[in-house]
Amino acid sequence: MDIARAFTFVFDEDRYVEKLAIGTGLVLASFLLSFVLVGFLGFFILAGYSVRLLRNVQAKKTQVLPEWNDWGGDLGRGFKLMAIGFIWSLPALILAIPMVIGGMMTGGNEVAQIFGAGLLICVGLLAFAYGLFVVLITPAYTIAFAQDERIASGLQLTEIWRWTRDNIGQVIVVGIVVVLGSMAISVLASVVGSVLCFVGLIVTVP
């Protein structure tokens, strides 16, 4: 696994400035229009575009950034990928119900408070463990979906867990890199954004 390549491959593209500019414009438009829900379509398109990028990487193409020439297809791919992620997250959403109940009980008598606090702690730990599980399998279900673009492929628990288990070292390394990279970008965005305001956003979004 070439971590450095993950940060530099973009600059090997012949027209990376043009492709990044289109992606940046899409993200900015999505943020600005998200309050009317239309903006979320842009995030679906971006997710679908990332699936095509993943396939190019798997095919070991030298120019891995796809052309922005399949907006409708990317929208469909992104919607399916987001649907897979939502389905995997459903158990965590269900766990929110007993957490709400536990929170309500903490406002009762002493016995109810103790039981409610215990329920909050137990369910909270369970939700955290499941959330960590979803984070770990995200690469696996994304790769599985990219193979044939079928929602069912991203929901095959046995195959997805087996792939994650066999590649757990790389999954953890990538997760750490993503977290550190996100923190670095956040700091950069804060510094540049405070100096250049809106221009800073345009610089850091790509």
Side-chain angles (χ1 to χ4, degrees), residues 174-192:
V174 169
I176 293 174
V177 170
V178 168
V179 171
L180 294 178
S182 299
M183 292 173 60
I185 290 173
S186 298
V187 172
L188 178 63
S190 299
V191 174
V192 177

Side-chain angles (χ1 to χ4, degrees), residues 5-196:
R5 170 74 174 162
F7 290 94
T8 61
F9 76 91
V10 171
F11 304 106
D12 295 333
E13 299 282 329
D14 293 335
R15 295 168 33 246
Y16 74 89
V17 174
E18 175 187 338
K19 294 176 181 178
L20 282 181
I22 295 174
T24 300
L26 179 63
V27 172
L28 290 175
S30 298
F31 273 120
L32 294 175
L33 296 175
S34 59
F35 71 97
V36 291
L37 300 181
V38 177
F40 289 106
L41 296 179
F43 295 117
F44 289 154
I45 293 172
L46 194 63
Y49 181 86
S50 69
V51 172
R52 286 200 290 145
L53 189 153
L54 173 59
R55 286 208 299 261
N56 286 347
V57 172
Q58 291 176 322
K60 297 182 179 179
K61 294 184 178 180
T62 55
Q63 303 286 307
V64 296
L65 284 179
E67 297 291 337
W68 288 95
N69 56 4
D70 190 16
W71 295 77
D74 287 339
L75 177 61
R77 294 182 196 94
F79 180 81
K80 290 180 182 179
L81 184 58
M82 294 292 189
I84 294 172
F86 176 76
I87 293 172
W88 279 114
S89 300
L90 276 178
L93 297 177
I94 295 175
L95 287 173
I97 297 176
M99 291 188 70
V100 171
I101 296 175
M104 294 173 62
M105 294 182 66
T106 56
N109 57 44
E110 185 176 350
V111 175
Q113 289 178 358
I114 295 174
F115 185 82
L119 184 61
L120 278 174
I121 293 173
C122 293
V123 177
L125 291 174
L126 184 60
F128 174 80
Y130 184 77
L132 182 60
F133 167 75
V134 173
V135 169
L136 290 175
I137 66 169
T138 296
Y141 76 63
T142 302
I143 292 173
F145 168 74
Q147 302 299 322
D148 54 17
E149 297 184 11
R150 294 174 59 248
I151 291 179
S153 297
L155 299 175
Q156 301 178 65
L157 176 59
T158 303
E159 289 77 5
I160 288 172
W161 175 246
R162 184 182 298 117
W163 186 96
T164 302
R165 182 194 60 198
D166 294 342
N167 298 275
I168 190 64
Q170 296 187 61
V171 170
I172 292 175
V173 170
V174 169
I176 293 174
V177 170
V178 168
V179 171
L180 294 178
S182 299
M183 292 173 60
I185 290 173
S186 298
V187 172
L188 178 63
S190 299
V191 174
V192 177
S194 62
V195 176
L196 301 177

